Amino acid sequence: MDIEAARDQFPALQEKTFLDAACISLAPRVATEAISKFLDTTLQCPERSATLHHIAMDKARDTARSEAAGLINAGGDEIALVESTSLGLELAAQAIPLAAGDRVLLCDLEFMEVAIPWSQLQRRGISIDVVPNRDGELRTEDIA
């Protein structure tokens, strides 16, 4: 990996150090360029009809899904494109067939948004157990 090329993707890092990536982070140039290209497509509708425009947008979404799948060695049908990690986690928490009496373990170091979807399951009788960290570490024996 070329560190300078990677750093060049984040112009704000020329002047400062940015460490808050938990909630909102800096976007790399490649991402902002892709977003700009997408917005130009939605603005201009380069296809000759709305139907073809819609089909082109579906193909772009399928390409993104396929590329994301390749990054984690998954199938395209295993990838959901959602607006945020928080929404994706909420959907996953709702999809797991948990029932009254089941337990979910969370670490006391979790980012707050990670705990919320699981906490909402308490209405269905799921209990939440918080595993305390030890000097900033979560240990497998504490989970067991």
Side-chain angles (χ1 to χ4, degrees), residues 59-80:
K59 284 182 182 175
R61 199 173 8 263
D62 289 343
T63 298
R65 187 177 287 108
S66 175
E67 289 180 6
L71 285 173
I72 61 170
N73 197 28
D77 61 340
E78 297 176 287
I79 301 297

Side-chain angles (χ1 to χ4, degrees), residues 37-53:
K37 181 179 175 186
F38 170 78
L39 291 175
D40 283 344
T41 299
T42 63
L43 181 65
Q44 300 296 327
C45 186
E47 304 299 331
R48 59 176 196 208
S49 73
T51 299
L52 293 176
H53 178 69

Side-chain angles (χ1 to χ4, degrees), residues 52-128:
L52 293 176
H53 178 69
H54 196 270
I55 290 168
M57 296 297 248
D58 286 345
K59 284 182 182 175
R61 199 173 8 263
D62 289 343
T63 298
R65 187 177 287 108
S66 175
E67 289 180 6
L71 285 173
I72 61 170
N73 197 28
D77 61 340
E78 297 176 287
I79 301 297
L81 299 177
V82 295
E83 66 187 49
S84 69
T85 304
S86 298
L87 177 60
L89 182 57
E90 182 180 340
L91 293 171
Q94 294 296 326
I96 297 171
L98 296 172
D102 288 340
R103 296 170 54 206
V104 173
L105 302 179
L106 296 173
C107 173
D108 65 352
L109 296 175
E110 289 289 1
F111 182 61
M112 184 178 71
E113 284 292 323
V114 171
I116 290 173
W118 305 106
S119 297
Q120 291 173 341
L121 295 177
Q122 289 176 304
R123 289 180 246 153
R124 295 190 342 214
I126 285 86
S127 64
I128 305 293

